[in-house]
Coordinates of all heavy atoms in Angstrom, one line a residue:
M1 N 27.3 7.9 17.1 CA 28.3 8.9 16.6 C 27.5 10.2 16.5 O 26.4 10.2 16.1 CB 28.9 8.3 15.3 CG 28.6 9.1 14.1 SD 29.2 8.4 12.6 CE 29.1 6.7 12.9
L2 N 28.2 11.3 16.7 CA 27.7 12.6 16.6 C 27.9 13.1 15.2 O 29.1 13.1 14.8 CB 28.3 13.5 17.7 CG 27.9 15.0 17.6 CD1 26.5 15.2 18.0 CD2 28.8 15.8 18.5
H3 N 26.9 13.6 14.6 CA 27.1 14.3 13.3 C 27.0 15.8 13.4 O 27.8 16.5 12.8 CB 26.0 13.8 12.3 CG 26.2 12.4 11.8 ND1 27.2 12.0 11.0 CD2 25.5 11.3 12.1 CE1 27.1 10.7 10.8 NE2 26.1 10.3 11.4
H4 N 26.1 16.2 14.2 CA 25.9 17.7 14.4 C 25.2 17.9 15.7 O 24.3 17.2 16.1 CB 25.0 18.2 13.2 CG 24.8 19.7 13.3 ND1 25.6 20.6 12.7 CD2 23.8 20.4 13.9 CE1 25.2 21.8 13.0 NE2 24.1 21.7 13.7
A5 N 25.6 19.0 16.3 CA 24.9 19.5 17.5 C 24.9 21.0 17.5 O 25.9 21.6 17.1 CB 25.6 19.0 18.8
S6 N 23.8 21.6 17.9 CA 23.7 23.0 18.1 C 23.2 23.3 19.4 O 22.2 22.7 19.9 CB 22.8 23.6 17.0 OG 23.2 23.4 15.7
F7 N 23.7 24.3 20.1 CA 23.2 24.7 21.4 C 23.6 26.1 21.7 O 24.5 26.7 21.1 CB 23.6 23.7 22.6 CG 25.0 23.6 22.8 CD1 25.7 24.5 23.7 CD2 25.8 22.7 22.2 CE1 27.0 24.4 24.0 CE2 27.2 22.6 22.4 CZ 27.8 23.4 23.3
N8 N 22.8 26.7 22.7 CA 23.1 28.1 23.1 C 24.1 28.1 24.3 O 24.1 27.1 25.1 CB 21.8 28.8 23.6 CG 20.8 29.0 22.5 OD1 19.7 28.6 22.7 ND2 21.2 29.6 21.5
A9 N 24.8 29.2 24.4 CA 25.7 29.4 25.6 C 25.8 30.9 25.9 O 25.7 31.7 25.0 CB 27.1 28.8 25.3
R10 N 25.9 31.2 27.1 CA 26.1 32.6 27.5 C 27.3 33.2 26.9 O 27.4 34.3 26.6 CB 26.1 32.7 29.0 CG 24.7 32.5 29.6 CD 24.7 33.0 31.1 NE 23.4 32.7 31.7 CZ 23.1 31.7 32.5 NH1 24.1 30.9 32.9 NH2 21.9 31.5 32.9
D11 N 28.4 32.4 26.9 CA 29.7 32.8 26.4 C 30.2 31.7 25.4 O 31.0 30.9 25.7 CB 30.7 33.0 27.5 CG 32.0 33.6 27.1 OD1 32.2 33.7 25.8 OD2 32.8 34.0 27.9
P12 N 29.7 31.8 24.1 CA 30.1 30.8 23.1 C 31.6 30.7 22.9 O 32.1 29.6 22.7 CB 29.4 31.3 21.8 CG 28.2 32.1 22.3 CD 28.7 32.8 23.6
Q13 N 32.3 31.8 23.0 CA 33.8 31.7 22.8 C 34.4 30.9 23.9 O 35.3 30.0 23.7 CB 34.4 33.1 22.7 CG 35.9 33.0 22.4 CD 36.4 34.4 22.3 OE1 35.8 35.4 22.4 NE2 37.7 34.4 21.9
A14 N 34.0 31.0 25.2 CA 34.5 30.3 26.3 C 34.2 28.8 26.1 O 35.1 27.9 26.3 CB 34.0 30.8 27.6
V15 N 33.0 28.5 25.7 CA 32.7 27.0 25.5 C 33.5 26.5 24.3 O 34.0 25.4 24.4 CB 31.1 26.9 25.2 CG1 30.8 25.5 24.8 CG2 30.3 27.4 26.4
A16 N 33.6 27.3 23.3 CA 34.4 26.8 22.1 C 35.9 26.7 22.4 O 36.6 26.0 21.7 CB 34.2 27.8 20.9
S17 N 36.4 27.3 23.5 CA 37.8 27.1 23.8 C 38.0 25.8 24.7 O 39.1 25.3 24.7 CB 38.3 28.3 24.5 OG 37.7 28.5 25.8
V18 N 37.0 25.4 25.4 CA 37.1 24.2 26.2 C 36.8 22.9 25.5 O 37.5 21.9 25.6 CB 36.1 24.3 27.4 CG1 36.1 23.0 28.2 CG2 36.6 25.5 28.3
L19 N 35.7 22.9 24.6 CA 35.4 21.7 23.9 C 36.5 21.0 23.1 O 36.7 19.8 23.1 CB 34.1 21.9 23.1 CG 32.8 22.0 23.8 CD1 31.7 22.3 22.8 CD2 32.5 20.7 24.5
P20 N 37.3 21.8 22.4 CA 38.3 21.2 21.6 C 39.4 20.5 22.4 O 39.9 19.4 22.0 CB 39.0 22.4 20.9 CG 37.9 23.4 20.8 CD 37.1 23.2 22.0
E21 N 39.6 20.9 23.6 CA 40.5 20.2 24.5 C 40.0 18.9 24.9 O 40.7 17.9 25.1 CB 40.8 21.1 25.8 CG 41.5 22.4 25.5 CD 41.7 23.2 26.7 OE1 41.5 22.7 27.9 OE2 41.9 24.4 26.6
M22 N 38.7 18.8 25.2 CA 38.0 17.6 25.6 C 37.9 16.6 24.4 O 37.9 15.4 24.6 CB 36.6 17.9 26.2 CG 36.7 18.7 27.4 SD 35.1 19.3 28.0 CE 34.0 17.9 27.8
L23 N 37.6 17.1 23.2 CA 37.3 16.3 22.1 C 38.4 16.1 21.0 O 38.2 15.5 20.0 CB 36.0 16.9 21.4 CG 34.8 17.0 22.2 CD1 33.7 17.8 21.5 CD2 34.3 15.6 22.7
V24 N 39.5 16.7 21.3 CA 40.6 16.8 20.3 C 40.1 17.3 19.0 O 40.0 16.6 18.0 CB 41.3 15.4 20.1 CG1 42.6 15.6 19.3 CG2 41.7 14.8 21.5
A25 N 39.6 18.5 19.0 CA 38.9 19.2 17.9 C 39.5 20.6 17.7 O 40.4 21.0 18.3 CB 37.4 19.2 18.1
T26 N 38.9 21.3 16.7 CA 39.3 22.6 16.4 C 38.2 23.6 16.5 O 37.1 23.3 15.9 CB 39.9 22.7 14.9 OG1 41.0 21.7 14.9 CG2 40.4 24.1 14.6
A27 N 38.3 24.7 17.1 CA 37.3 25.8 17.2 C 37.6 26.8 16.2 O 38.7 27.3 16.0 CB 37.3 26.4 18.6
V28 N 36.5 27.3 15.5 CA 36.6 28.4 14.5 C 35.4 29.3 14.7 O 34.3 28.8 15.0 CB 36.7 27.9 13.1 CG1 38.0 27.1 12.8 CG2 35.5 27.0 12.7
R29 N 35.6 30.6 14.5 CA 34.5 31.5 14.6 C 33.6 31.3 13.4 O 34.0 31.2 12.3 CB 35.0 33.0 14.6 CG 34.0 34.0 14.8 CD 34.6 35.4 14.8 NE 35.6 35.6 15.8 CZ 35.4 36.0 17.0 NH1 34.2 36.3 17.4 NH2 36.4 36.2 17.8
A30 N 32.3 31.2 13.7 CA 31.3 31.0 12.6 C 31.1 32.3 11.8 O 31.2 33.4 12.4 CB 29.9 30.7 13.2
P31 N 31.0 32.2 10.5 CA 30.8 33.4 9.7 C 29.5 34.1 10.0 O 28.5 33.5 10.1 CB 30.8 32.9 8.2 CG 30.4 31.4 8.4 CD 30.9 31.0 9.7
S32 N 29.6 35.5 10.0 CA 28.4 36.3 10.3 C 28.3 37.4 9.3 O 29.2 38.2 9.1 CB 28.6 36.9 11.7 OG 27.5 37.7 12.0
P33 N 27.2 37.4 8.5 CA 26.1 36.4 8.4 C 26.6 35.1 7.7 O 27.7 35.2 7.1 CB 25.0 37.1 7.7 CG 25.7 38.1 6.8 CD 27.0 38.5 7.6
P34 N 25.9 34.1 7.7 CA 24.5 33.9 8.1 C 24.3 33.6 9.6 O 23.2 33.7 10.1 CB 24.0 32.8 7.3 CG 25.2 31.9 7.1 CD 26.4 32.9 7.0
F35 N 25.4 33.3 10.3 CA 25.3 32.9 11.7 C 25.3 34.2 12.5 O 25.9 35.2 12.1 CB 26.4 32.0 12.1 CG 26.3 30.7 11.4 CD1 27.0 30.4 10.2 CD2 25.5 29.7 11.9 CE1 26.8 29.2 9.6 CE2 25.4 28.5 11.3 CZ 26.0 28.2 10.1
P36 N 24.7 34.2 13.7 CA 24.7 35.4 14.5 C 26.1 35.8 15.0 O 27.0 34.9 15.2 CB 23.8 35.1 15.7 CG 23.7 33.6 15.7 CD 24.0 33.1 14.3
Q37 N 26.3 37.1 15.3 CA 27.6 37.6 15.8 C 27.9 36.8 17.1 O 27.1 36.6 18.0 CB 27.5 39.1 16.1 CG 28.8 39.7 16.5 CD 29.7 39.8 15.3 OE1 29.3 39.9 14.1 NE2 31.0 39.8 15.6
G38 N 29.1 36.3 17.2 CA 29.6 35.6 18.4 C 29.4 34.1 18.4 O 29.7 33.4 19.3
A39 N 28.9 33.5 17.3 CA 28.7 32.1 17.1 C 30.0 31.4 16.8 O 30.9 32.0 16.2 CB 27.7 31.8 16.1
W40 N 30.2 30.2 17.3 CA 31.4 29.4 17.1 C 31.1 28.0 16.6 O 30.0 27.5 16.9 CB 32.2 29.3 18.4 CG 33.0 30.6 18.7 CD1 32.4 31.7 19.2 CD2 34.3 30.8 18.5 NE1 33.4 32.6 19.4 CE2 34.6 32.1 18.9 CE3 35.4 30.1 17.9 CZ2 35.9 32.7 18.9 CZ3 36.6 30.6 17.9 CH2 36.9 31.9 18.3
F41 N 32.0 27.4 15.9 CA 32.0 26.0 15.5 C 33.1 25.3 16.1 O 34.2 25.8 16.3 CB 32.2 25.8 13.9 CG 31.1 26.4 13.1 CD1 31.4 26.9 11.8 CD2 29.8 26.5 13.5 CE1 30.5 27.4 11.0 CE2 28.8 27.1 12.6 CZ 29.2 27.5 11.4
V42 N 32.8 24.0 16.5 CA 33.9 23.1 16.9 C 33.8 22.0 15.9 O 32.9 21.2 15.8 CB 33.7 22.6 18.4 CG1 34.7 21.6 18.7 CG2 33.7 23.8 19.4
C43 N 34.9 21.8 15.2 CA 35.0 20.8 14.1 C 35.8 19.6 14.6 O 36.9 19.8 15.0 CB 35.7 21.4 12.9 SG 34.9 23.0 12.3
L44 N 35.2 18.5 14.5 CA 35.8 17.3 15.1 C 36.8 16.7 14.1 O 37.7 15.9 14.6 CB 34.7 16.2 15.5 CG 34.1 16.5 16.8 CD1 33.3 17.8 16.9 CD2 33.3 15.3 17.3
G45 N 36.8 17.0 12.9 CA 37.8 16.6 11.9 C 37.7 15.1 11.6 O 38.7 14.5 11.1
D46 N 36.6 14.5 11.8 CA 36.4 13.1 11.4 C 35.9 12.9 10.0 O 35.7 13.9 9.3 CB 35.5 12.4 12.4 CG 34.1 13.0 12.4 OD1 33.7 13.7 11.5 OD2 33.3 12.7 13.4
D47 N 35.8 11.7 9.6 CA 35.4 11.4 8.2 C 34.0 11.8 7.9 O 33.5 11.8 6.7 CB 35.6 9.9 7.9 CG 37.0 9.4 7.9 OD1 37.9 10.3 7.7 OD2 37.3 8.2 8.1
F48 N 33.2 12.1 8.9 CA 31.8 12.4 8.8 C 31.5 13.9 8.8 O 30.4 14.3 8.6 CB 30.9 11.7 9.9 CG 31.2 10.2 9.9 CD1 32.0 9.7 10.9 CD2 30.6 9.4 9.0 CE1 32.2 8.3 10.9 CE2 30.8 8.0 9.0 CZ 31.6 7.5 10.0
G49 N 32.5 14.7 9.0 CA 32.3 16.1 9.0 C 31.6 16.6 10.3 O 30.8 17.6 10.2
S50 N 31.7 15.9 11.4 CA 31.0 16.2 12.6 C 31.3 17.6 13.1 O 32.4 18.0 13.0 CB 31.3 15.2 13.7 OG 31.0 13.9 13.3
L51 N 30.3 18.3 13.5 CA 30.4 19.7 13.8 C 29.5 20.0 15.1 O 28.4 19.6 15.2 CB 29.9 20.5 12.7 CG 29.9 22.0 12.8 CD1 31.3 22.6 12.7 CD2 28.9 22.7 11.8
I52 N 30.0 20.8 16.0 CA 29.2 21.4 17.1 C 29.1 22.9 16.9 O 30.1 23.5 16.6 CB 29.9 21.1 18.4 CG1 30.0 19.6 18.6 CG2 29.1 21.7 19.6 CD1 30.8 19.2 19.8
E53 N 27.9 23.4 16.9 CA 27.6 24.8 16.6 C 27.2 25.4 18.0 O 26.3 24.9 18.6 CB 26.5 24.8 15.6 CG 26.0 26.1 15.2 CD 24.9 25.9 14.1 OE1 24.1 24.9 14.2 OE2 24.7 26.8 13.3
I54 N 27.9 26.4 18.4 CA 27.6 27.1 19.7 C 27.2 28.5 19.4 O 27.9 29.3 18.8 CB 28.9 27.1 20.6 CG1 29.5 25.7 20.7 CG2 28.6 27.7 21.9 CD1 30.9 25.7 21.0
L55 N 25.9 28.8 19.7 CA 25.2 30.0 19.4 C 25.0 30.8 20.6 O 24.8 30.3 21.7 CB 23.9 29.7 18.7 CG 24.0 28.9 17.4 CD1 22.7 28.4 17.0 CD2 24.7 29.7 16.3
P56 N 25.0 32.2 20.5 CA 24.7 33.0 21.7 C 23.3 32.7 22.3 O 22.3 32.3 21.5 CB 24.7 34.4 21.2 CG 25.5 34.3 19.9 CD 25.3 33.0 19.4
C57 N 23.1 32.8 23.6 CA 21.8 32.6 24.2 C 20.7 33.4 23.5 O 21.0 34.6 23.2 CB 21.9 33.0 25.7 SG 22.5 31.6 26.7
G58 N 19.6 32.8 23.4 CA 18.4 33.5 22.8 C 18.3 33.3 21.3 O 17.3 33.6 20.7
T59 N 19.4 32.7 20.7 CA 19.3 32.4 19.2 C 18.3 31.2 19.0 O 18.4 30.2 19.7 CB 20.7 32.0 18.7 OG1 21.6 33.0 18.9 CG2 20.7 31.6 17.2
V60 N 17.4 31.4 18.1 CA 16.5 30.3 17.8 C 16.4 30.1 16.2 O 16.7 31.0 15.5 CB 15.0 30.7 18.3 CG1 15.0 30.7 19.8 CG2 14.5 32.0 17.7
L61 N 16.1 28.9 15.9 CA 15.9 28.6 14.4 C 14.5 28.9 14.1 O 13.5 28.5 14.7 CB 16.2 27.1 14.2 CG 17.6 26.6 14.6 CD1 17.7 25.1 14.3 CD2 18.6 27.4 13.9
D62 N 14.3 29.8 13.1 CA 13.0 30.3 12.8 C 12.9 30.5 11.3 O 13.5 31.3 10.7 CB 12.8 31.7 13.5 CG 11.4 32.3 13.2 OD1 10.6 31.8 12.4 OD2 11.2 33.4 13.7
Q63 N 12.0 29.7 10.6 CA 11.9 29.7 9.2 C 11.4 31.0 8.7 O 11.6 31.4 7.5 CB 11.0 28.6 8.7 CG 11.6 27.2 9.0 CD 10.6 26.1 8.5 OE1 9.4 26.3 8.3 NE2 11.1 24.9 8.4
Q64 N 10.7 31.8 9.5 CA 10.2 33.1 9.1 C 11.2 34.2 9.2 O 11.0 35.3 8.6 CB 8.9 33.4 9.9 CG 7.9 32.3 9.9 CD 7.4 32.0 8.5 OE1 7.2 32.8 7.7 NE2 7.2 30.7 8.3
A65 N 12.3 34.0 9.9 CA 13.3 35.0 10.2 C 14.3 35.1 9.0 O 14.5 34.1 8.3 CB 14.0 34.7 11.5
P66 N 14.9 36.2 8.8 CA 15.9 36.3 7.8 C 17.0 35.3 8.0 O 17.5 35.2 9.2 CB 16.4 37.8 7.9 CG 15.4 38.5 8.6 CD 14.7 37.5 9.5
L67 N 17.4 34.6 7.0 CA 18.5 33.6 7.1 C 18.1 32.4 8.0 O 18.9 31.6 8.3 CB 19.8 34.2 7.5 CG 20.3 35.3 6.6 CD1 21.6 35.9 7.2 CD2 20.6 34.8 5.2
G68 N 16.8 32.4 8.5 CA 16.3 31.2 9.3 C 16.8 31.3 10.7 O 16.6 30.3 11.4
I69 N 17.4 32.4 11.2 CA 17.9 32.5 12.5 C 17.2 33.7 13.2 O 17.4 34.8 12.7 CB 19.4 32.6 12.6 CG1 20.0 31.3 12.0 CG2 19.9 32.8 14.0 CD1 21.5 31.3 12.0
G70 N 16.5 33.5 14.3 CA 15.9 34.6 15.0 C 16.5 34.8 16.4 O 17.4 34.1 16.8
F71 N 15.8 35.6 17.2 CA 16.3 35.8 18.5 C 15.0 35.9 19.5 O 14.1 36.6 19.2 CB 17.1 37.2 18.7 CG 17.6 37.4 20.0 CD1 18.8 36.7 20.4 CD2 17.0 38.2 20.9 CE1 19.3 36.9 21.7 CE2 17.5 38.4 22.2 CZ 18.6 37.8 22.6
D72 N 15.1 35.2 20.5 CA 14.1 35.2 21.6 C 14.8 35.0 22.9 O 15.3 33.9 23.2 CB 13.0 34.1 21.4 CG 11.9 34.1 22.4 OD1 12.1 34.7 23.5 OD2 10.9 33.6 22.1
P73 N 14.9 36.1 23.8 CA 15.7 35.9 25.0 C 15.2 34.9 26.0 O 15.9 34.5 26.8 CB 15.6 37.4 25.6 CG 14.4 38.0 25.0 CD 14.3 37.3 23.6
N74 N 14.0 34.4 25.8 CA 13.4 33.4 26.7 C 13.6 32.0 26.2 O 13.2 31.1 26.9 CB 11.9 33.7 26.9 CG 11.7 35.1 27.5 OD1 12.3 35.4 28.5 ND2 10.8 35.8 27.0
M75 N 14.2 31.8 25.1 CA 14.3 30.5 24.5 C 15.7 30.0 24.6 O 16.7 30.7 24.6 CB 13.9 30.5 23.0 CG 12.4 30.8 22.8 SD 11.3 29.5 23.5 CE 11.6 28.2 22.5
R76 N 15.9 28.6 24.7 CA 17.2 28.0 24.6 C 17.1 26.9 23.5 O 16.1 26.3 23.3 CB 17.5 27.3 26.0 CG 17.5 28.2 27.1 CD 18.7 29.2 27.0 NE 18.7 30.1 28.1 CZ 18.3 31.4 28.1 NH1 17.8 31.9 27.0 NH2 18.4 32.2 29.1
L77 N 18.2 26.7 22.9 CA 18.3 25.8 21.7 C 19.2 24.6 22.0 O 20.2 24.7 22.6 CB 18.8 26.6 20.5 CG 19.2 25.8 19.3 CD1 17.9 25.3 18.6 CD2 20.0 26.6 18.3
L78 N 18.7 23.4 21.7 CA 19.5 22.2 21.6 C 19.0 21.4 20.5 O 17.8 21.0 20.4 CB 19.4 21.4 22.9 CG 20.1 20.1 22.9 CD1 21.6 20.2 22.7 CD2 19.8 19.3 24.2
R79 N 19.9 21.1 19.6 CA 19.5 20.2 18.4 C 20.7 19.2 18.2 O 21.9 19.6 18.2 CB 19.4 21.1 17.2 CG 19.0 20.4 15.9 CD 18.8 21.3 14.8 NE 20.1 21.9 14.5 CZ 20.3 22.9 13.6 NH1 19.3 23.3 12.9 NH2 21.5 23.4 13.4
L80 N 20.3 18.0 18.0 CA 21.4 16.9 17.8 C 21.0 16.1 16.6 O 19.9 15.8 16.3 CB 21.4 16.0 19.0 CG 21.8 16.6 20.4 CD1 21.6 15.5 21.5 CD2 23.2 17.1 20.3
A81 N 22.0 15.7 15.9 CA 21.9 14.7 14.8 C 23.0 13.6 15.1 O 24.2 13.8 15.1 CB 22.2 15.3 13.5
C82 N 22.5 12.4 15.5 CA 23.3 11.3 15.9 C 23.0 10.1 15.0 O 21.9 10.0 14.5 CB 23.1 11.0 17.4 SG 23.4 12.4 18.4
A83 N 23.9 9.1 15.0 CA 23.7 7.9 14.4 C 24.3 6.8 15.3 O 25.2 7.0 16.0 CB 24.3 7.8 13.0
A84 N 23.7 5.6 15.2 CA 24.2 4.4 15.9 C 24.3 3.3 14.9 O 23.5 3.1 14.0 CB 23.3 4.1 17.0
Q85 N 25.3 2.5 15.1 CA 25.5 1.3 14.3 C 24.4 0.3 14.7 O 24.2 0.1 15.9 CB 26.9 0.7 14.5 CG 27.2 -0.4 13.6 CD 28.7 -0.9 13.8 OE1 29.2 -0.7 14.9 NE2 29.3 -1.5 12.8
H86 N 23.8 -0.3 13.7 CA 22.8 -1.4 13.9 C 23.5 -2.5 14.7 O 24.5 -3.0 14.4 CB 22.3 -1.9 12.6 CG 21.3 -3.0 12.8 ND1 20.0 -2.7 13.2 CD2 21.4 -4.3 12.5 CE1 19.4 -3.9 13.2 NE2 20.2 -4.8 12.8
A87 N 22.8 -2.9 15.8 CA 23.3 -4.0 16.6 C 22.3 -5.1 16.7 O 21.1 -4.9 16.5 CB 23.6 -3.5 18.0
Q88 N 22.7 -6.3 16.9 CA 21.9 -7.5 17.0 C 22.3 -8.2 18.3 O 23.4 -8.2 18.7 CB 21.9 -8.4 15.8 CG 23.2 -9.1 15.6 CD 23.3 -9.9 14.4 OE1 22.5 -9.6 13.5 NE2 24.2 -10.8 14.3
F89 N 21.3 -8.8 18.9 CA 21.5 -9.5 20.2 C 22.2 -10.9 19.9 O 21.8 -11.6 18.9 CB 20.2 -9.7 21.0 CG 19.8 -8.4 21.6 CD1 18.7 -7.7 21.0 CD2 20.3 -7.9 22.7 CE1 18.3 -6.5 21.5 CE2 19.9 -6.8 23.3 CZ 18.9 -6.1 22.7
D90 N 23.1 -11.3 20.7 CA 23.7 -12.6 20.6 C 23.0 -13.5 21.6 O 23.2 -13.3 22.8 CB 25.2 -12.4 20.9 CG 26.0 -13.7 20.7 OD1 25.4 -14.8 20.7 OD2 27.2 -13.7 20.7
R91 N 22.3 -14.5 21.1 CA 21.5 -15.4 22.0 C 22.4 -16.2 22.9 O 21.9 -16.7 23.9 CB 20.6 -16.3 21.1 CG 19.6 -15.5 20.4 CD 18.6 -16.5 19.6 NE 17.7 -15.7 18.9 CZ 17.2 -16.0 17.8 NH1 17.5 -17.1 17.2 NH2 16.3 -15.2 17.2
N92 N 23.6 -16.4 22.5 CA 24.5 -17.2 23.3 C 25.0 -16.4 24.5 O 25.6 -17.0 25.5 CB 25.7 -17.7 22.5 CG 25.3 -18.6 21.4 OD1 24.4 -19.4 21.6 ND2 25.9 -18.5 20.3
H93 N 24.9 -15.1 24.5 CA 25.3 -14.3 25.6 C 24.2 -13.3 25.9 O 24.3 -12.1 25.5 CB 26.6 -13.6 25.3 CG 27.7 -14.5 24.9 ND1 28.4 -15.2 25.9 CD2 28.2 -14.9 23.7 CE1 29.4 -15.9 25.3 NE2 29.2 -15.8 24.0
P94 N 23.2 -13.7 26.7 CA 22.1 -12.7 27.0 C 22.6 -11.4 27.6 O 23.5 -11.4 28.4 CB 21.3 -13.5 28.0 CG 21.6 -14.9 27.8 CD 23.1 -14.9 27.3
G95 N 22.0 -10.4 27.2 CA 22.4 -9.1 27.7 C 23.6 -8.4 26.9 O 23.9 -7.3 27.1
H96 N 24.1 -9.1 26.0 CA 25.2 -8.6 25.2 C 24.8 -8.4 23.7 O 23.9 -9.2 23.3 CB 26.4 -9.5 25.2 CG 27.1 -9.6 26.5 ND1 26.7 -10.5 27.5 CD2 28.1 -8.9 27.1 CE1 27.4 -10.4 28.6 NE2 28.2 -9.4 28.4
C97 N 25.3 -7.5 23.0 CA 25.0 -7.3 21.6 C 26.3 -7.1 20.9 O 27.3 -6.8 21.5 CB 24.0 -6.2 21.4 SG 24.5 -4.6 21.8
R98 N 26.2 -7.3 19.6 CA 27.4 -7.1 18.8 C 27.0 -6.3 17.6 O 25.8 -6.3 17.1 CB 28.0 -8.4 18.4 CG 27.0 -9.3 17.7 CD 27.6 -10.7 17.5 NE 26.5 -11.6 17.2 CZ 26.4 -12.5 16.2 NH1 27.5 -12.6 15.5 NH2 25.4 -13.2 16.0
P99 N 27.9 -5.5 16.9 CA 27.5 -4.8 15.7 C 27.0 -5.7 14.7 O 27.5 -6.8 14.5 CB 28.8 -4.1 15.3 CG 29.6 -4.0 16.6 CD 29.2 -5.3 17.4
H100 N 26.0 -5.3 13.9 CA 25.4 -6.1 12.9 C 26.4 -6.5 11.9 O 27.3 -5.7 11.4 CB 24.3 -5.3 12.2 CG 23.6 -6.0 11.1 ND1 22.8 -7.0 11.3 CD2 23.7 -5.8 9.7 CE1 22.3 -7.5 10.2 NE2 22.9 -6.8 9.2
G101 N 26.4 -7.8 11.5 CA 27.3 -8.3 10.5 C 28.7 -8.8 11.0 O 29.4 -9.3 10.3
L102 N 28.9 -8.6 12.3 CA 30.2 -9.1 12.9 C 30.0 -10.4 13.6 O 29.0 -10.5 14.3 CB 30.8 -8.0 13.8 CG 31.2 -6.7 13.2 CD1 31.8 -5.8 14.2 CD2 32.2 -6.9 12.1
A103 N 30.9 -11.3 13.5 CA 30.7 -12.6 14.1 C 31.3 -12.5 15.6 O 32.1 -11.7 15.9 CB 31.5 -13.7 13.4

């Protein structure tokens, strides 16, 4: 499951207009500041608060920069936070697994 993703795009608004159609989600302009001008969020609306953050090309996460966001035209950003349900192998069916705790 996806909890959070951040990545750069040449045209964040264009990407933010396509992703909601694919994911049945909602796009909203990110507040600036603290996010850079032109940044967008795609909110999945699930119980986990899953969010995709689309930032203009060259945006980097930098602890030394004001608000933790800097700019480097040579850099690209991709950050993911995902989770997977624990699975266990079923010895009666080699090659198959089932979610932990399910019979």
Side-chain angles (χ1 to χ4, degrees):
M1 118 186 28
L2 174 70
H3 289 291
H4 180 89
S6 296
F7 61 89
N8 294 127
R10 286 191 183 106
D11 187 348
Q13 184 175 2
V15 174
S17 69
V18 172
L19 282 178
E21 294 175 19
M22 296 169 46
L23 301 172
V24 188
T26 302
V28 294
R29 187 180 301 270
S32 179
F35 296 92
Q37 188 70 27
W40 283 79
F41 295 150
V42 175
C43 306
L44 278 64
D46 60 15
D47 292 340
F48 304 102
S50 298
L51 177 79
I52 300 172
E53 184 179 25
I54 308 157
L55 303 167
C57 276
T59 301
V60 293
L61 303 178
D62 179 357
Q63 293 179 344
Q64 307 303 319
L67 302 174
I69 297 176
F71 184 79
D72 182 341
N74 298 314
M75 294 296 291
R76 300 295 179 259
L77 170 72
L78 172 62
R79 182 180 62 184
L80 297 173
C82 302
Q85 186 176 27
H86 178 74
Q88 65 186 21
F89 289 99
D90 185 343
R91 291 185 184 146
N92 296 324
H93 302 283
H96 293 90
C97 63
R98 56 190 162 129
H100 181 70
L102 298 179

